[in-house]
Amino acid sequence: MTHWKNIRLTHQTITGNSLTIDAVYPPEFESNIQDEVQYLKTVYGCQQAFKKKVISLICSYDGRLVSFNYSL
């Protein structure tokens, strides 16, 4: 049985809104996911676009969304 890796991603806008995504993924994809998430954080200022891209990224590496939290 594979032990999945946990990841918690937080993205905050200049207005103070915060988005937190918790997910799990197979460990063999760790460096790929970390590199791509860092890239997405620099490119996407809009939380909705960031959320959509990150969830798509996690799923493309056979990961699963655990929780999603948005706060104002």
Side-chain angles (χ1 to χ4, degrees):
M1 181 176 166
T2 301
H3 294 286
W4 290 53
K5 301 286 274 182
N6 295 316
I7 188 169
R8 172 170 275 183
L9 303 168
T10 303
H11 187 64
Q12 195 164 18
T13 65
I14 58 173
T15 60
N17 297 339
S18 178
L19 169 73
T20 303
I21 298 171
D22 291 313
V24 294
Y25 59 90
E28 60 265 22
F29 299 122
E30 183 168 20
S31 73
N32 299 47
I33 288 175
Q34 295 295 340
D35 292 344
E36 291 190 47
V37 165
Q38 288 305 319
Y39 170 75
L40 292 176
K41 282 185 175 183
T42 62
V43 173
Y44 291 96
C46 170
Q47 287 185 330
Q48 294 303 322
F50 178 77
K51 176 187 84 169
K52 184 177 178 181
K53 290 293 187 180
V54 165
I55 291 173
S56 177
L57 169 70
I58 296 293
C59 290
S60 73
Y61 285 110
D62 296 329
R64 303 291 182 265
L65 179 66
V66 174
S67 68
F68 167 78
N69 186 18
Y70 179 77
S71 61
L72 301 175

